[in-house]
Amino acid sequence: MFKKVLFSVLVVSSSLFAHSAIMSCFDNGDGSVTCEGGFSDGSSASGVNFYVEQGGKKVISGKMSEDSEFTFKKPSGEYSAVFDAGEGHQVYVKGSDITE
Amino acid sequence: MKKLVLSSAVVAVLGVSSAMAHFQMVYTPNTALEKGQTIEMKHVFTHPFANEHTMDMAGVEEFYSITEKNGKVDLKDTLKSITWKGKHNSGKAYESKYKARNMGDHVLVMVPTPYYEKNEDIYIQQITKTVINVAGTPNGWDAELGLKAEIVPLTKPYSIWEGGSFTGIVKSNGKPVPFAEIEVEYINNTPDMKNNAMGPNKYEAPQDSFVTMGIKANKDGEFTFALPKAGFWGFCALGVGSDKEYKGKELSQDAVIWVEAKEMK
C-alpha cells in the first residue's frame, strides 16, 4: 500500500518536473485581464494556484478555472500576474506586458 | 527519330512545369508567437522558390480557424483582395488579420476556389494548412480534420530548429494515402508584408530538382524531410483529394502544409 502511494506521488512530481509551466495574459479591454495557464506538454492547469502581486504583496489570489483561466480586475499601477505551479514552476508576467 | 525528338520536347515541357510547383501560401512571418496578438496573413498562389510567376487566385471557398476553446470559426469575411508582386509579374491575392489571442495552437485552413492551369488544362485546388502557436503550450496542432486532402503533422509545424526535420502523414478523408507524391519548396525570400511583394531570392538551386524537391510518402502515407535552413517550407501532396473533376475538367486536389524552421542564435 505504502509503496503504491509513494510510486504515484513520484510519478506525479516527475511529470510536473519534466514540463515547463507557461502563462499568457491579455487585457479584455473592459478593465479586466484574463490569464491562461498551461504546460509545455499540453496538460491542463485547472486548479493550479494563481495570484496577482503588487509591491511584493499578493493582492488577488485564486486557482485556475476548469478552462485553465483566471480573470481579474486590472489593478492600478504596476503589478505582476503569477502562475504558481510549485517551486521552480512559477511564471511571472508583468502588467505592462499585458496588452489587448 | 522524329518521335524521339517529340518525346524529349514533351519531357522538356513536363520538366519545366514540375520544376516550379504551384504553392498556395497562407503566410505570416512568425508562427511561434510569444504572446497573444493580432497577426497579419497573406494568401498568395505562387512558386515560392523561384518566384518567377505569381498566379491570380480564383477566389476562396473556405477560410477558418480551429482552436481548442472556440472550435471552428469562419474567417472568410476577414479576407481582403490585394495585388501581390512577384519577381516578374503581379497576381490577385488576399490578406487577412487574425486575432490569435488564446494560448496554444491555432490551426488555419484555407480552401481556395480551383485555379485553372492553362498549360496543363486542369484545375488545381490546394487545401492549405498553417499552424500558429501562442506562448508554447500545445493543444491541437496534430488534429486530424478529415479534409478531402490533408497533411496531418507528427511534428509541431511551428517548433522546429533549423536543421531539424518535419514528419507528416498524407491523408484523404481521414485515410492515409500510400506512396503519395509530395513536392517540397522553400520560401526563398523574405516576403514584404507592407508592400505585398516577394523579396529578392536568397539561395540558388544547383539544378532544377532542387527548386521543387520531389519526395514520396511511405506505404503508410508518412514522410520525413529535414529542413536545412530557417524559414518556411511548404509540403504539397499532389492530387490526393477525393474530388477529381471541376467544371468538366480534371482537378488536382492537393494538400498543403506550411512548416517554419527557426534559426539557433
Side-chain angles (χ1 to χ4, degrees), chain A residues 2-89:
Chain A
F2 177 69
K3 244 186 192 169
K4 233 183 194 169
V5 170
L6 187 68
F7 180 69
S8 56
V9 166
L10 274 178
V11 166
V12 169
S13 68
S14 82
S15 80
L16 263 182
F17 222 71
H19 314 304
S20 47
I22 296 166
M23 181 168 70
S24 175
C25 304
F26 49 82
D27 190 323
N28 290 309
D30 61 357
S32 73
V33 168
T34 297
C35 290
E36 295 174 291
F39 294 92
S40 55
D41 69 337
S43 54
S44 164
S46 171
V48 173
N49 291 327
F50 172 87
Y51 59 87
V52 176
E53 197 180 83
Q54 240 180 341
K57 276 185 188 167
K58 284 184 193 179
V59 289
I60 299 165
S61 65
K63 286 184 191 300
M64 288 288 183
S65 73
E66 239 175 74
D67 290 335
S68 307
E69 281 184 3
F70 193 95
T71 300
F72 57 94
K73 197 171 160 251
K74 193 165 123 182
S76 53
E78 281 180 23
Y79 70 96
S80 284
V82 186
F83 177 50
D84 183 11
E87 208 179 325
H89 288 90

Side-chain angles (χ1 to χ4, degrees), chain A residues 24 26 36, chain B residues 26 28 31-33 35-39 41 63-71 73 75 98-109 129-143 145 157-158 258:
Chain A
S24 175
F26 49 82
E36 295 174 291
Chain B
V26 174
T28 188
T31 56
L33 306 169
K35 59 177 188 172
Q37 60 200 266
T38 298
I39 58 165
M41 280 184 285
F63 176 45
Y64 54 89
S65 64
I66 295 177
T67 56
E68 189 180 63
K69 266 184 193 156
N70 302 318
V73 175
L75 301 172
Y98 176 69
K99 201 167 189 178
R101 197 163 78 160
N102 286 115
M103 192 163 87
D105 295 321
H106 299 245
V107 180
L108 299 156
V109 179
K129 209 191 254 187
T130 295
V131 184
I132 61 159
N133 176 273
V134 176
T137 185
N139 56 1
W141 61 273
D142 53 348
L145 308 176
Y158 51 81
W258 286 97

Side-chain angles (χ1 to χ4, degrees), chain B residues 122-190:
Chain B
I122 62 164
Y123 280 93
I124 299 170
Q125 182 180 45
Q126 297 193 333
I127 302 174
T128 303
K129 209 191 254 187
T130 295
V131 184
I132 61 159
N133 176 273
V134 176
T137 185
N139 56 1
W141 61 273
D142 53 348
E144 183 187 308
L145 308 176
L147 305 176
K148 288 175 178 172
E150 179 175 10
I151 294 175
V152 178
L154 295 182
T155 312
K156 288 174 195 158
Y158 51 81
S159 175
I160 305 172
W161 287 115
E162 177 175 59
S165 67
F166 173 72
T167 299
I169 313 177
V170 179
K171 293 200 170 184
S172 176
N173 299 304
K175 283 188 185 151
V177 182
F179 306 112
E181 199 185 325
I182 301 154
E183 292 187 324
V184 187
E185 271 202 34
Y186 177 64
I187 301 183
N188 191 21
N189 68 83
T190 304

